[in-house]
């Protein structure tokens, strides 16, 4: 199995585990009275499952994005170990004179 696919599966599992913990804490602390809504309704279990699934999709996507971004190669750094800094160009705003049309009509 390619390394990238293995990484994706691993981050998906971590994302869904985080989602399970997040939904469990939402229900345990009864945020926005969710425990009552989930336990008191006939479709409450479906709502809890969908909350878990949609949060799992989001969390796993974020986990994968973070792991891919952390894999960035900074290239050969020849500045003695210090990262190269790009020069910052600070543009100074220059005021532009504007003629007042009402004053010209008088």
């Amino acid at each position: 199995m390619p390394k990238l696919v293995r990484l994706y599966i691993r981050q998906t599992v971590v994302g869904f585990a985080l989602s399970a913990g997040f939904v469990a804490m939402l229900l345990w602390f009864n945020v926005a009275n969710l425990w009552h809504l989930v336990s008191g309704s006939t479709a409450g279990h479906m709502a809890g499952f969908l909350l878990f699934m949609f949060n799992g999709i989001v969390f796993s996507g974020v986990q994968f994005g973070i792991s891919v971004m952390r894999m960035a190669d900074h290239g050969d750094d020849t500045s003695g170990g210090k990262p190269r800094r790009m020069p910052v160009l600070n543009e100074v705003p220059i005021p532009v004179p504007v003629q007042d049309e009402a004053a010209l009509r008088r």
Side-chain angles (χ1 to χ4, degrees):
M1 184 179 311
K3 288 183 181 180
L4 191 61
V5 173
R6 222 175 322 146
L7 175 71
Y8 182 73
I9 292 171
R10 187 180 320 123
Q11 297 307 321
T12 302
V13 169
V14 170
F16 275 94
L18 287 173
S19 173
F22 179 70
V23 172
M25 285 184 8
L26 280 177
L27 295 175
W28 179 263
F29 291 117
N30 203 16
V31 175
N33 209 15
L34 279 177
W35 174 253
H36 175 71
L37 291 172
V38 169
S39 64
S41 174
T42 57
H45 298 304
M46 176 63 95
F49 175 73
L50 290 176
L51 186 65
F52 163 72
M53 283 301 293
F54 292 141
N55 279 315
I57 291 169
V58 170
F59 288 171
S60 63
V62 170
Q63 277 294 120
F64 183 66
I66 290 172
S67 64
V68 166
M69 285 187 246
R70 291 184 70 200
M71 292 170 46
D73 184 21
H74 297 293
D76 295 333
D77 195 14
T78 58
S79 62
K82 295 181 182 177
R84 287 185 236 158
R85 294 188 177 214
M86 298 296 292
V88 178
L89 302 175
N90 293 329
E91 295 183 14
V92 178
I94 300 171
V96 178
V98 178
Q99 295 180 354
D100 187 15
E101 293 181 18
L104 292 175
R105 292 182 192 160
R106 292 184 203 164

